[in-house]
Amino acid sequence: MARRKKVYEGKAKVLYEGPEPGTLVQYFKDDATAFNAEKRDVIDGKGVLNNRLSEFFMNGLTAIGVPNHFIKRINMREQLIRAVEIIPLEVVVRNIAAGSICPRLGLEEGTPMPRPIVEFYFKNDDLGDPIVSEEHIIAFQWASQQDMDDMVSLALRVNDFMSGLMLGVGIKLVDFKIEIGRVWDGDFMRLIVADEISPDSCRLWDIETGRKLDKDVFRRDLGDLADAYTEVARRLGVMPQGPSGVSKPTLIN
Ligand code: TMP
């Protein structure tokens, strides 16, 4: 088979040219990084889990009419997606205080937000993805006023959908990050959810025990990351046998 053309390689994913114009193949690696790649490791099975979980979330969003880049899963680690022009912003929604907002605003981890808070960070690794305001976004023309309204609306719809889904399996959606891209249908431009939605880009806490089921397990050395992601997948009915596809051996009495 001819080698595919690599279009982009990020910390956790690779994008290849897709089979048709306007499509890409998104490959999920097992690499985990944190703190702008200062901490890194390879977590067996993470890519397989995130491929399946992102497929599951994006399909759910499609079902409720939230436009996104997902077309179909190709294999254990790859999915076909629509090519988009990524807006250079990380769009974060917070329901409960955790992570960077705690030191920034002097909040204790676990403090509920008065309402879901939408924040924007400029995607720039050299600068450590600084938080930016609507003023910066519009003045530097990363997005228009109309785009801003659409991004907030998309982010809050994703929040409602993901919060409800997680609540149903005993998990609190603390916060998450999405990326948004532009697609053109002829002269008509619209914004769609892109990148991935997975425990790499969310904070997920077990409602009963408070156990963390997201990338904070890796960031803070709290245990086995693949176990945490497998638990999320199992509860949602995605890959009940775990990422190897083979059920664990059981004792026969
Ligand atoms: P933060 O509290 O570190 O700002 O993160 C907010 C949310 O965004 C959290 O769910 C983790 C996610 N996130 C990413 O997906 N990528 C990143 O590079 C960062 C910093 C956060």
Side-chain angles (χ1 to χ4, degrees), residues 43-54:
I43 312 286
D44 273 349
K46 181 176 84 86
V48 172
L49 284 156
N50 281 353
N51 185 29
R52 292 294 284 260
L53 283 164
S54 201

Side-chain angles (χ1 to χ4, degrees), residues 11 36 90-94 98-102 104 119 121 125 128-129 174-179 195 199-203 215-216 219:
K11 286 175 278 205
N36 207 3
E90 303 206 329
V91 183
V92 169
V93 181
R94 299 183 189 273
S100 68
I101 197 173
C102 293
R104 190 180 322 116
E119 297 174 337
Y121 294 79
D125 281 345
D129 298 345
V174 172
D175 58 28
F176 68 91
K177 183 263 307 190
I178 53 170
E179 296 189 22
D195 189 51
D200 265 12
S201 51
C202 299
R203 283 197 176 90
K215 207 165 93 176
D216 273 349
R219 293 191 190 96

Side-chain angles (χ1 to χ4, degrees), residues 31-42:
D31 302 53
T33 67
F35 314 117
N36 207 3
E38 270 173 41
K39 181 178 166 85
R40 49 172 75 232
D41 203 352
V42 175

